[in-house]
Amino acid sequence: MVEGQLEILKQIQWCLEKYGVKPVHVEKFGAAGLFFVFAGPKGVTGTVRIHPEGVVTLTLEYFVCNGLSPLFSTKELQRLRDEVEEKLKASRSRLLPPVQRGLAVDPYLTTSDERLLQYDFDVKLFEERTPYQKVMIVHSPSLGNALILDDLINLAESDGIYTDTLMLKGRISYKGKTCLILGGGDGALLHQLLQEDPDYITMVEIDEVVMQACSKHMRSVCGDSMDSHKGLHHEIIVGDAVATMEEYVKEGRRFDFVFGDLTDIPISTDPTAELWLFFRRILTLALSLLAPSGIYLSHANGVSSHKALSMFEEQLGAIDPPVKFSKCSAYVPSFMEPWVFYQVWYKHSPPVVLPDTLQSSLLS
Amino acid sequence: MVEGQLEILKQIQWCLEKYGVKPVHVEKFGAAGLFFVFAGPKGVTGTVRIHPEGVVTLTLEYFVCNGLSPLFSTKELQRLRDEVEEKLKASRSRLLPPVQRGLAVDPYLTTSDERLLQYDFDVKLFEERTPYQKVMIVHSPSLGNALILDDLINLAESDGIYTDTLMLKGRISYKGKTCLILGGGDGALLHQLLQEDPDYITMVEIDEVVMQACSKHMRSVCGDSMDSHKGLHHEIIVGDAVATMEEYVKEGRRFDFVFGDLTDIPISTDPTAELWLFFRRILTLALSLLAPSGIYLSHANGVSSHKALSMFEEQLGAIDPPVKFSKCSAYVPSFMEPWVFYQVWYKHSPPVVLPDTLQSSLLS
């Protein structure tokens, strides 16, 4: 087997030589194959791993300052790939674009199911570590400004569809209604609800820094809705949503609509039991604040995160008194995946007029 | 300097040791820093590159069969990252999800500006190398089935917006009109135009395999429009668009609308002069087939591909007799980026009724 692997090495070596990249070390792993180290000019290192299962990987690494040309052009790399594929008589091969590490504006984020996405962020507009999270606003030429909390994209200027779907804009009337927003620090939901002639909107957001940053850098999203904490038809409470809800429950407050727009809803694909207990606590509190025929509207997770979504629905099934729910999804541009939104109400007190979407997507 | 680098190595070594991963080789690059090779159980290799500019990279590589658990869980990797960041007193660090190489269904594609995107493709439904291209249809749980030609995503079942924007659906009336589609082998445009009560649609697609594969696997997109090559209101010509257009020009044929939906429009960020000359040839032919007040409608490129888009407009500026154009863009879910579409007409023969969007986005 080693001989076959050395032959593979010889072919790759032949391909790399014209770039001045030469083998300098070999590491033998017995049954796990061979690992070769290459080195070339300008500090280029290469590694070739020959996995006995039939996969050969070639990785080049080098440093260039941001903005300077890469040491290998795309065309050179394509030629190298083609040559290696031909020399090895490989059935298929794949050239991946350079993974860029150490950039001042990191371009990589992940989907809800941990797939790698490279964004076109070019400028960091805001960054601050608050007691609650790392708050960042970056600019993307294709998506506009984007709010990123703890390396998760929360909302970009391209994402009107997120708020439209969360509030079922045009399908639910908010005229003269009372609303409670849990979270929503980007101000998009508050801004959109204020256009609908509501009676009063209360928003509880824990992180003042998020609101200030969005008021400055995401103005196309939040308008002037967060310029002051109190307006004719709205109030922003800077505080903990759970504590505020507990207080409201004691006071007997009720809202026609409660919105779940918290950032700390368990979006990991591997959420802990405690996180879900915490989530159910929020859910129970939110539902207990609903006026008769009220609706709880919440975002949930990416459509691909089946486990998290079924956990979400499991929690809904455990609520007492029992609830009914409907759901819908919309592709959110900056998330680069479709996102799922839920509408929840008490079985014993359904919405007076169920909007079409709630009826048609009724699940329980 | 080397001493400081060895101290960095010592710290990383300490962090890796609990996973049984130990240093086995060092490569010195002088001014370009140090490169360390680690090895661990189950054929894990690690490389640590200490770039004197201040970036330290740690890369782990190992083989597992598809479907088996990774050797390191996300939580373990996060802990390792945190430890390394703390030990090195790094100002920031980034953990990227595993780059998966050698999978039967490759999950990686790129945006038009060569950014890396990881899709959730799970099943390969179709693959064939034709004389023209590599045709592949894969399934994505979040996007539906997707047509991929030569590693470029052409259309997915999620992408109704692509066709709607290409034809300005609802903003241009096709009733009683004649249309020529260049390319369009996925059948989406043909299917949508047939819903608009047109007089006659001619489609020229070179690759029969694409049409057959889409008729089978992308039926939500093309309906039954490609089940036969001739219908009451349409005809599909399997052939070269340029040759067919040249023939039509000789015959004096004219169409109310010509659509550019070819896959070989230069979408590379580094297109050659010949490609652009070819593109201008297509454009000139297409425009010469327009009936008086006709419109040429074409997709172009991602909004981030500034160079390709300005080349596109440069070609439009070189057309004689002179043309006017408008453009619009739409975020196409499976492209994971907004795409730009153009509408072009002769200056001396503008559309009789300019749809709103054409007027409002008029550029020249």
PDB file of all heavy atoms in Angstrom, chain A residues 43 49 57 59 61 92 94 101 103 108 115-116 118 120 331 333, chain B residues 43 49 57 59 61 92 94 101 103 108 115-116 118 331 333:
ATOM      1  N   GLY A  43       7.310  31.362   1.915  1.00  0.00           N
ATOM      2  CA  GLY A  43       6.665  30.746   3.075  1.00  0.00           C
ATOM      3  C   GLY A  43       5.448  29.899   2.759  1.00  0.00           C
ATOM      4  O   GLY A  43       4.615  29.656   3.628  1.00  0.00           O
ATOM      5  N   ARG A  49      -2.281  14.678   2.187  1.00  0.00           N
ATOM      6  CA  ARG A  49      -2.675  13.557   3.013  1.00  0.00           C
ATOM      7  C   ARG A  49      -3.239  12.490   2.095  1.00  0.00           C
ATOM      8  O   ARG A  49      -4.155  12.770   1.303  1.00  0.00           O
ATOM      9  CB  ARG A  49      -3.740  14.025   4.015  1.00  0.00           C
ATOM     10  CG  ARG A  49      -4.175  12.975   5.019  1.00  0.00           C
ATOM     11  CD  ARG A  49      -3.069  12.705   6.050  1.00  0.00           C
ATOM     12  NE  ARG A  49      -3.317  11.461   6.752  1.00  0.00           N
ATOM     13  CZ  ARG A  49      -4.013  11.354   7.865  1.00  0.00           C
ATOM     14  NH1 ARG A  49      -4.508  12.428   8.438  1.00  0.00           N
ATOM     15  NH2 ARG A  49      -4.197  10.168   8.432  1.00  0.00           N
ATOM     16  N   THR A  57      -5.953  14.598  -0.148  1.00  0.00           N
ATOM     17  CA  THR A  57      -6.150  16.043   0.025  1.00  0.00           C
ATOM     18  C   THR A  57      -4.828  16.770  -0.139  1.00  0.00           C
ATOM     19  O   THR A  57      -3.783  16.296   0.292  1.00  0.00           O
ATOM     20  CB  THR A  57      -6.725  16.379   1.418  1.00  0.00           C
ATOM     21  OG1 THR A  57      -5.765  16.029   2.419  1.00  0.00           O
ATOM     22  CG2 THR A  57      -8.027  15.641   1.679  1.00  0.00           C
ATOM     23  N   THR A  59      -3.383  20.644   0.539  1.00  0.00           N
ATOM     24  CA  THR A  59      -3.708  21.926   1.154  1.00  0.00           C
ATOM     25  C   THR A  59      -2.502  22.845   1.072  1.00  0.00           C
ATOM     26  O   THR A  59      -1.404  22.464   1.483  1.00  0.00           O
ATOM     27  CB  THR A  59      -4.078  21.729   2.647  1.00  0.00           C
ATOM     28  OG1 THR A  59      -5.075  20.711   2.740  1.00  0.00           O
ATOM     29  CG2 THR A  59      -4.607  23.019   3.258  1.00  0.00           C
ATOM     30  N   GLU A  61      -0.928  26.590   2.173  1.00  0.00           N
ATOM     31  CA  GLU A  61      -1.154  27.679   3.128  1.00  0.00           C
ATOM     32  C   GLU A  61      -0.045  28.713   3.000  1.00  0.00           C
ATOM     33  O   GLU A  61       1.131  28.363   2.884  1.00  0.00           O
ATOM     34  CB  GLU A  61      -1.181  27.139   4.564  1.00  0.00           C
ATOM     35  CG  GLU A  61      -1.402  28.250   5.593  1.00  0.00           C
ATOM     36  CD  GLU A  61      -1.602  27.747   7.025  1.00  0.00           C
ATOM     37  OE1 GLU A  61      -1.786  26.534   7.221  1.00  0.00           O
ATOM     38  OE2 GLU A  61      -1.569  28.597   7.937  1.00  0.00           O
ATOM     39  N   ARG A  92     -12.877  12.070  -9.561  1.00  0.00           N
ATOM     40  CA  ARG A  92     -13.352  13.448  -9.434  1.00  0.00           C
ATOM     41  C   ARG A  92     -12.430  14.216  -8.514  1.00  0.00           C
ATOM     42  O   ARG A  92     -11.685  13.637  -7.729  1.00  0.00           O
ATOM     43  CB  ARG A  92     -14.798  13.500  -8.921  1.00  0.00           C
ATOM     44  CG  ARG A  92     -15.005  12.833  -7.589  1.00  0.00           C
ATOM     45  CD  ARG A  92     -16.486  12.629  -7.288  1.00  0.00           C
ATOM     46  NE  ARG A  92     -16.653  11.610  -6.275  1.00  0.00           N
ATOM     47  CZ  ARG A  92     -16.640  11.849  -4.965  1.00  0.00           C
ATOM     48  NH1 ARG A  92     -16.481  13.071  -4.531  1.00  0.00           N
ATOM     49  NH2 ARG A  92     -16.786  10.880  -4.104  1.00  0.00           N
ATOM     50  N   ARG A  94     -11.983  18.400  -6.544  1.00  0.00           N
ATOM     51  CA  ARG A  94     -12.688  19.636  -6.194  1.00  0.00           C
ATOM     52  C   ARG A  94     -11.664  20.649  -5.724  1.00  0.00           C
ATOM     53  O   ARG A  94     -10.827  20.335  -4.864  1.00  0.00           O
ATOM     54  CB  ARG A  94     -13.684  19.322  -5.063  1.00  0.00           C
ATOM     55  CG  ARG A  94     -14.618  20.439  -4.745  1.00  0.00           C
ATOM     56  CD  ARG A  94     -15.657  20.584  -5.865  1.00  0.00           C
ATOM     57  NE  ARG A  94     -16.699  21.530  -5.479  1.00  0.00           N
ATOM     58  CZ  ARG A  94     -16.671  22.828  -5.773  1.00  0.00           C
ATOM     59  NH1 ARG A  94     -15.686  23.325  -6.456  1.00  0.00           N
ATOM     60  NH2 ARG A  94     -17.651  23.611  -5.377  1.00  0.00           N
ATOM     61  N   ARG A 101      -8.105  33.259   6.770  1.00  0.00           N
ATOM     62  CA  ARG A 101      -8.097  33.318   8.229  1.00  0.00           C
ATOM     63  C   ARG A 101      -7.340  34.548   8.717  1.00  0.00           C
ATOM     64  O   ARG A 101      -6.399  34.987   8.093  1.00  0.00           O
ATOM     65  CB  ARG A 101      -7.471  32.042   8.774  1.00  0.00           C
ATOM     66  CG  ARG A 101      -8.170  30.807   8.192  1.00  0.00           C
ATOM     67  CD  ARG A 101      -7.930  29.585   9.021  1.00  0.00           C
ATOM     68  NE  ARG A 101      -6.775  28.828   8.597  1.00  0.00           N
ATOM     69  CZ  ARG A 101      -6.441  27.643   9.119  1.00  0.00           C
ATOM     70  NH1 ARG A 101      -7.167  27.116  10.092  1.00  0.00           N
ATOM     71  NH2 ARG A 101      -5.387  27.002   8.691  1.00  0.00           N
ATOM     72  N   LEU A 103      -8.548  37.625   9.069  1.00  0.00           N
ATOM     73  CA  LEU A 103      -8.967  38.914   8.524  1.00  0.00           C
ATOM     74  C   LEU A 103      -9.572  39.795   9.620  1.00  0.00           C
ATOM     75  O   LEU A 103     -10.204  39.304  10.554  1.00  0.00           O
ATOM     76  CB  LEU A 103     -10.015  38.710   7.418  1.00  0.00           C
ATOM     77  CG  LEU A 103      -9.528  38.096   6.110  1.00  0.00           C
ATOM     78  CD1 LEU A 103     -10.695  37.965   5.132  1.00  0.00           C
ATOM     79  CD2 LEU A 103      -8.432  38.938   5.487  1.00  0.00           C
ATOM     80  N   TYR A 108     -16.736  34.770   7.604  1.00  0.00           N
ATOM     81  CA  TYR A 108     -17.421  33.483   7.751  1.00  0.00           C
ATOM     82  C   TYR A 108     -18.457  33.481   8.872  1.00  0.00           C
ATOM     83  O   TYR A 108     -18.182  33.897   9.991  1.00  0.00           O
ATOM     84  CB  TYR A 108     -16.410  32.362   8.009  1.00  0.00           C
ATOM     85  CG  TYR A 108     -15.410  32.221   6.891  1.00  0.00           C
ATOM     86  CD1 TYR A 108     -14.116  32.708   7.020  1.00  0.00           C
ATOM     87  CD2 TYR A 108     -15.778  31.658   5.676  1.00  0.00           C
ATOM     88  CE1 TYR A 108     -13.203  32.611   5.977  1.00  0.00           C
ATOM     89  CE2 TYR A 108     -14.874  31.559   4.630  1.00  0.00           C
ATOM     90  CZ  TYR A 108     -13.591  32.033   4.784  1.00  0.00           C
ATOM     91  OH  TYR A 108     -12.699  31.944   3.746  1.00  0.00           O
ATOM     92  N   ARG A 115     -23.549  24.996   8.614  1.00  0.00           N
ATOM     93  CA  ARG A 115     -22.868  24.996   7.323  1.00  0.00           C
ATOM     94  C   ARG A 115     -22.091  26.304   7.175  1.00  0.00           C
ATOM     95  O   ARG A 115     -22.530  27.354   7.633  1.00  0.00           O
ATOM     96  CB  ARG A 115     -23.886  24.847   6.191  1.00  0.00           C
ATOM     97  CG  ARG A 115     -24.402  23.424   6.061  1.00  0.00           C
ATOM     98  CD  ARG A 115     -25.422  23.303   4.939  1.00  0.00           C
ATOM     99  NE  ARG A 115     -26.724  23.824   5.302  1.00  0.00           N
ATOM    100  CZ  ARG A 115     -27.334  24.805   4.684  1.00  0.00           C
ATOM    101  NH1 ARG A 115     -26.756  25.412   3.647  1.00  0.00           N
ATOM    102  NH2 ARG A 115     -28.532  25.217   5.071  1.00  0.00           N
ATOM    103  N   LEU A 116     -20.954  26.205   6.496  1.00  0.00           N
ATOM    104  CA  LEU A 116     -20.054  27.352   6.359  1.00  0.00           C
ATOM    105  C   LEU A 116     -20.520  28.297   5.242  1.00  0.00           C
ATOM    106  O   LEU A 116     -20.800  27.861   4.132  1.00  0.00           O
ATOM    107  CB  LEU A 116     -18.648  26.831   6.032  1.00  0.00           C
ATOM    108  CG  LEU A 116     -17.507  27.839   5.949  1.00  0.00           C
ATOM    109  CD1 LEU A 116     -17.285  28.530   7.281  1.00  0.00           C
ATOM    110  CD2 LEU A 116     -16.227  27.142   5.506  1.00  0.00           C
ATOM    111  N   GLN A 118     -19.548  32.099   3.390  1.00  0.00           N
ATOM    112  CA  GLN A 118     -18.622  33.227   3.302  1.00  0.00           C
ATOM    113  C   GLN A 118     -19.371  34.462   2.805  1.00  0.00           C
ATOM    114  O   GLN A 118     -19.896  34.480   1.695  1.00  0.00           O
ATOM    115  CB  GLN A 118     -17.466  32.884   2.346  1.00  0.00           C
ATOM    116  CG  GLN A 118     -16.420  33.972   2.276  1.00  0.00           C
ATOM    117  CD  GLN A 118     -15.265  33.629   1.346  1.00  0.00           C
ATOM    118  OE1 GLN A 118     -15.225  32.533   0.773  1.00  0.00           O
ATOM    119  NE2 GLN A 118     -14.346  34.545   1.177  1.00  0.00           N
ATOM    120  N   ASP A 120     -19.779  38.771   2.056  1.00  0.00           N
ATOM    121  CA  ASP A 120     -18.941  39.794   1.415  1.00  0.00           C
ATOM    122  C   ASP A 120     -18.801  41.033   2.310  1.00  0.00           C
ATOM    123  O   ASP A 120     -18.732  42.149   1.803  1.00  0.00           O
ATOM    124  CB  ASP A 120     -19.494  40.159   0.026  1.00  0.00           C
ATOM    125  CG  ASP A 120     -20.935  40.663   0.082  1.00  0.00           C
ATOM    126  OD1 ASP A 120     -21.538  40.626   1.175  1.00  0.00           O
ATOM    127  OD2 ASP A 120     -21.462  41.104  -0.959  1.00  0.00           O
ATOM    128  N   TYR A 331     -37.607  32.509   3.229  1.00  0.00           N
ATOM    129  CA  TYR A 331     -36.164  32.562   2.996  1.00  0.00           C
ATOM    130  C   TYR A 331     -35.680  33.956   3.382  1.00  0.00           C
ATOM    131  O   TYR A 331     -36.120  34.953   2.824  1.00  0.00           O
ATOM    132  CB  TYR A 331     -35.871  32.290   1.525  1.00  0.00           C
ATOM    133  CG  TYR A 331     -34.398  32.123   1.234  1.00  0.00           C
ATOM    134  CD1 TYR A 331     -33.832  30.859   1.075  1.00  0.00           C
ATOM    135  CD2 TYR A 331     -33.568  33.222   1.129  1.00  0.00           C
ATOM    136  CE1 TYR A 331     -32.487  30.698   0.811  1.00  0.00           C
ATOM    137  CE2 TYR A 331     -32.209  33.076   0.877  1.00  0.00           C
ATOM    138  CZ  TYR A 331     -31.676  31.810   0.719  1.00  0.00           C
ATOM    139  OH  TYR A 331     -30.339  31.657   0.469  1.00  0.00           O
ATOM    140  N   PRO A 333     -32.768  36.541   3.293  1.00  0.00           N
ATOM    141  CA  PRO A 333     -31.533  36.710   2.516  1.00  0.00           C
ATOM    142  C   PRO A 333     -30.248  36.608   3.331  1.00  0.00           C
ATOM    143  O   PRO A 333     -29.362  35.823   2.982  1.00  0.00           O
ATOM    144  CB  PRO A 333     -31.705  38.101   1.888  1.00  0.00           C
ATOM    145  CG  PRO A 333     -33.174  38.222   1.686  1.00  0.00           C
ATOM    146  CD  PRO A 333     -33.788  37.538   2.881  1.00  0.00           C
TER     147      PRO A 333
ATOM    148  N   GLY B  43      -5.149   8.552  13.103  1.00  0.00           N
ATOM    149  CA  GLY B  43      -4.681   9.242  11.899  1.00  0.00           C
ATOM    150  C   GLY B  43      -4.954  10.732  11.878  1.00  0.00           C
ATOM    151  O   GLY B  43      -4.963  11.336  10.808  1.00  0.00           O
ATOM    152  N   ARG B  49       0.760  26.826  11.998  1.00  0.00           N
ATOM    153  CA  ARG B  49       1.606  27.760  11.275  1.00  0.00           C
ATOM    154  C   ARG B  49       1.664  29.050  12.070  1.00  0.00           C
ATOM    155  O   ARG B  49       0.618  29.613  12.422  1.00  0.00           O
ATOM    156  CB  ARG B  49       0.999  28.013   9.890  1.00  0.00           C
ATOM    157  CG  ARG B  49       1.833  28.907   9.001  1.00  0.00           C
ATOM    158  CD  ARG B  49       3.066  28.161   8.506  1.00  0.00           C
ATOM    159  NE  ARG B  49       4.057  29.079   7.964  1.00  0.00           N
ATOM    160  CZ  ARG B  49       4.105  29.460   6.692  1.00  0.00           C
ATOM    161  NH1 ARG B  49       3.258  28.978   5.819  1.00  0.00           N
ATOM    162  NH2 ARG B  49       5.025  30.317   6.284  1.00  0.00           N
ATOM    163  N   THR B  57      -2.322  29.823  12.773  1.00  0.00           N
ATOM    164  CA  THR B  57      -3.390  28.935  12.308  1.00  0.00           C
ATOM    165  C   THR B  57      -3.142  27.528  12.829  1.00  0.00           C
ATOM    166  O   THR B  57      -2.001  27.063  12.896  1.00  0.00           O
ATOM    167  CB  THR B  57      -3.458  28.874  10.764  1.00  0.00           C
ATOM    168  OG1 THR B  57      -2.265  28.276  10.258  1.00  0.00           O
ATOM    169  CG2 THR B  57      -3.622  30.258  10.152  1.00  0.00           C
ATOM    170  N   THR B  59      -4.711  23.711  12.122  1.00  0.00           N
ATOM    171  CA  THR B  59      -5.576  22.943  11.232  1.00  0.00           C
ATOM    172  C   THR B  59      -5.506  21.469  11.613  1.00  0.00           C
ATOM    173  O   THR B  59      -4.413  20.903  11.691  1.00  0.00           O
ATOM    174  CB  THR B  59      -5.115  23.097   9.760  1.00  0.00           C
ATOM    175  OG1 THR B  59      -4.974  24.486   9.462  1.00  0.00           O
ATOM    176  CG2 THR B  59      -6.114  22.472   8.800  1.00  0.00           C
ATOM    177  N   GLU B  61      -6.761  17.576  10.581  1.00  0.00           N
ATOM    178  CA  GLU B  61      -7.303  16.826   9.447  1.00  0.00           C
ATOM    179  C   GLU B  61      -7.393  15.353   9.815  1.00  0.00           C
ATOM    180  O   GLU B  61      -6.471  14.792  10.416  1.00  0.00           O
ATOM    181  CB  GLU B  61      -6.417  16.998   8.207  1.00  0.00           C
ATOM    182  CG  GLU B  61      -6.949  16.210   7.000  1.00  0.00           C
ATOM    183  CD  GLU B  61      -6.188  16.471   5.693  1.00  0.00           C
ATOM    184  OE1 GLU B  61      -5.384  17.412   5.638  1.00  0.00           O
ATOM    185  OE2 GLU B  61      -6.421  15.699   4.737  1.00  0.00           O
ATOM    186  N   ARG B  92      -8.264  37.931  19.232  1.00  0.00           N
ATOM    187  CA  ARG B  92      -9.480  37.293  18.717  1.00  0.00           C
ATOM    188  C   ARG B  92      -9.109  35.961  18.091  1.00  0.00           C
ATOM    189  O   ARG B  92      -7.950  35.721  17.731  1.00  0.00           O
ATOM    190  CB  ARG B  92     -10.205  38.176  17.696  1.00  0.00           C
ATOM    191  CG  ARG B  92      -9.377  38.581  16.514  1.00  0.00           C
ATOM    192  CD  ARG B  92     -10.013  39.727  15.731  1.00  0.00           C
ATOM    193  NE  ARG B  92      -9.033  40.361  14.887  1.00  0.00           N
ATOM    194  CZ  ARG B  92      -8.695  39.973  13.666  1.00  0.00           C
ATOM    195  NH1 ARG B  92      -9.296  38.921  13.132  1.00  0.00           N
ATOM    196  NH2 ARG B  92      -7.776  40.592  12.975  1.00  0.00           N
ATOM    197  N   ARG B  94     -11.027  32.418  15.770  1.00  0.00           N
ATOM    198  CA  ARG B  94     -12.191  31.999  15.002  1.00  0.00           C
ATOM    199  C   ARG B  94     -12.097  30.501  14.784  1.00  0.00           C
ATOM    200  O   ARG B  94     -11.056  30.000  14.344  1.00  0.00           O
ATOM    201  CB  ARG B  94     -12.177  32.739  13.646  1.00  0.00           C
ATOM    202  CG  ARG B  94     -13.418  32.563  12.834  1.00  0.00           C
ATOM    203  CD  ARG B  94     -14.560  33.369  13.442  1.00  0.00           C
ATOM    204  NE  ARG B  94     -15.721  33.392  12.558  1.00  0.00           N
ATOM    205  CZ  ARG B  94     -16.724  32.513  12.640  1.00  0.00           C
ATOM    206  NH1 ARG B  94     -16.730  31.594  13.548  1.00  0.00           N
ATOM    207  NH2 ARG B  94     -17.734  32.603  11.798  1.00  0.00           N
ATOM    208  N   ARG B 101     -14.114  17.213   2.648  1.00  0.00           N
ATOM    209  CA  ARG B 101     -13.605  16.929   1.308  1.00  0.00           C
ATOM    210  C   ARG B 101     -13.818  15.462   0.943  1.00  0.00           C
ATOM    211  O   ARG B 101     -13.763  14.595   1.803  1.00  0.00           O
ATOM    212  CB  ARG B 101     -12.126  17.296   1.247  1.00  0.00           C
ATOM    213  CG  ARG B 101     -11.907  18.737   1.716  1.00  0.00           C
ATOM    214  CD  ARG B 101     -10.599  19.295   1.252  1.00  0.00           C
ATOM    215  NE  ARG B 101      -9.507  19.061   2.161  1.00  0.00           N
ATOM    216  CZ  ARG B 101      -8.289  19.582   2.004  1.00  0.00           C
ATOM    217  NH1 ARG B 101      -8.032  20.349   0.972  1.00  0.00           N
ATOM    218  NH2 ARG B 101      -7.345  19.340   2.869  1.00  0.00           N
ATOM    219  N   LEU B 103     -16.592  14.108  -0.301  1.00  0.00           N
ATOM    220  CA  LEU B 103     -17.953  13.586  -0.170  1.00  0.00           C
ATOM    221  C   LEU B 103     -18.525  13.215  -1.541  1.00  0.00           C
ATOM    222  O   LEU B 103     -18.211  13.847  -2.548  1.00  0.00           O
ATOM    223  CB  LEU B 103     -18.862  14.632   0.476  1.00  0.00           C
ATOM    224  CG  LEU B 103     -18.618  14.953   1.951  1.00  0.00           C
ATOM    225  CD1 LEU B 103     -19.606  16.010   2.440  1.00  0.00           C
ATOM    226  CD2 LEU B 103     -18.760  13.683   2.795  1.00  0.00           C
ATOM    227  N   TYR B 108     -20.143  22.058  -1.563  1.00  0.00           N
ATOM    228  CA  TYR B 108     -19.600  23.407  -1.749  1.00  0.00           C
ATOM    229  C   TYR B 108     -19.818  23.953  -3.152  1.00  0.00           C
ATOM    230  O   TYR B 108     -19.544  23.285  -4.142  1.00  0.00           O
ATOM    231  CB  TYR B 108     -18.104  23.429  -1.435  1.00  0.00           C
ATOM    232  CG  TYR B 108     -17.809  23.006  -0.013  1.00  0.00           C
ATOM    233  CD1 TYR B 108     -17.315  21.739   0.271  1.00  0.00           C
ATOM    234  CD2 TYR B 108     -18.080  23.868   1.045  1.00  0.00           C
ATOM    235  CE1 TYR B 108     -17.073  21.339   1.576  1.00  0.00           C
ATOM    236  CE2 TYR B 108     -17.847  23.474   2.358  1.00  0.00           C
ATOM    237  CZ  TYR B 108     -17.336  22.211   2.616  1.00  0.00           C
ATOM    238  OH  TYR B 108     -17.118  21.820   3.906  1.00  0.00           O
ATOM    239  N   ARG B 115     -17.088  33.462  -3.429  1.00  0.00           N
ATOM    240  CA  ARG B 115     -17.158  33.189  -1.992  1.00  0.00           C
ATOM    241  C   ARG B 115     -17.650  31.764  -1.783  1.00  0.00           C
ATOM    242  O   ARG B 115     -18.480  31.259  -2.529  1.00  0.00           O
ATOM    243  CB  ARG B 115     -18.096  34.192  -1.312  1.00  0.00           C
ATOM    244  CG  ARG B 115     -17.464  35.573  -1.136  1.00  0.00           C
ATOM    245  CD  ARG B 115     -18.418  36.544  -0.487  1.00  0.00           C
ATOM    246  NE  ARG B 115     -19.450  37.021  -1.391  1.00  0.00           N
ATOM    247  CZ  ARG B 115     -20.753  36.876  -1.213  1.00  0.00           C
ATOM    248  NH1 ARG B 115     -21.201  36.221  -0.150  1.00  0.00           N
ATOM    249  NH2 ARG B 115     -21.632  37.345  -2.079  1.00  0.00           N
ATOM    250  N   LEU B 116     -17.138  31.141  -0.732  1.00  0.00           N
ATOM    251  CA  LEU B 116     -17.441  29.736  -0.454  1.00  0.00           C
ATOM    252  C   LEU B 116     -18.803  29.587   0.236  1.00  0.00           C
ATOM    253  O   LEU B 116     -19.085  30.267   1.218  1.00  0.00           O
ATOM    254  CB  LEU B 116     -16.342  29.173   0.456  1.00  0.00           C
ATOM    255  CG  LEU B 116     -16.389  27.685   0.797  1.00  0.00           C
ATOM    256  CD1 LEU B 116     -16.257  26.839  -0.457  1.00  0.00           C
ATOM    257  CD2 LEU B 116     -15.274  27.340   1.784  1.00  0.00           C
ATOM    258  N   GLN B 118     -21.556  26.561   1.683  1.00  0.00           N
ATOM    259  CA  GLN B 118     -21.813  25.147   1.930  1.00  0.00           C
ATOM    260  C   GLN B 118     -23.317  24.895   1.907  1.00  0.00           C
ATOM    261  O   GLN B 118     -24.060  25.427   2.730  1.00  0.00           O
ATOM    262  CB  GLN B 118     -21.232  24.731   3.293  1.00  0.00           C
ATOM    263  CG  GLN B 118     -21.368  23.237   3.559  1.00  0.00           C
ATOM    264  CD  GLN B 118     -20.767  22.831   4.895  1.00  0.00           C
ATOM    265  OE1 GLN B 118     -20.182  23.645   5.605  1.00  0.00           O
ATOM    266  NE2 GLN B 118     -20.921  21.569   5.254  1.00  0.00           N
ATOM    267  N   TYR B 331     -32.912  38.916  -4.963  1.00  0.00           N
ATOM    268  CA  TYR B 331     -32.165  37.907  -4.223  1.00  0.00           C
ATOM    269  C   TYR B 331     -32.690  36.533  -4.624  1.00  0.00           C
ATOM    270  O   TYR B 331     -33.874  36.243  -4.445  1.00  0.00           O
ATOM    271  CB  TYR B 331     -32.345  38.135  -2.727  1.00  0.00           C
ATOM    272  CG  TYR B 331     -31.442  37.273  -1.881  1.00  0.00           C
ATOM    273  CD1 TYR B 331     -30.292  37.805  -1.301  1.00  0.00           C
ATOM    274  CD2 TYR B 331     -31.733  35.928  -1.665  1.00  0.00           C
ATOM    275  CE1 TYR B 331     -29.463  37.008  -0.526  1.00  0.00           C
ATOM    276  CE2 TYR B 331     -30.902  35.137  -0.907  1.00  0.00           C
ATOM    277  CZ  TYR B 331     -29.771  35.679  -0.334  1.00  0.00           C
ATOM    278  OH  TYR B 331     -28.946  34.895   0.426  1.00  0.00           O
ATOM    279  N   PRO B 333     -32.762  32.718  -3.861  1.00  0.00           N
ATOM    280  CA  PRO B 333     -32.414  31.863  -2.719  1.00  0.00           C
ATOM    281  C   PRO B 333     -31.255  30.900  -2.964  1.00  0.00           C
ATOM    282  O   PRO B 333     -30.294  30.884  -2.200  1.00  0.00           O
ATOM    283  CB  PRO B 333     -33.725  31.114  -2.445  1.00  0.00           C
ATOM    284  CG  PRO B 333     -34.776  32.107  -2.806  1.00  0.00           C
ATOM    285  CD  PRO B 333     -34.226  32.809  -4.034  1.00  0.00           C
TER     286      PRO B 333
END
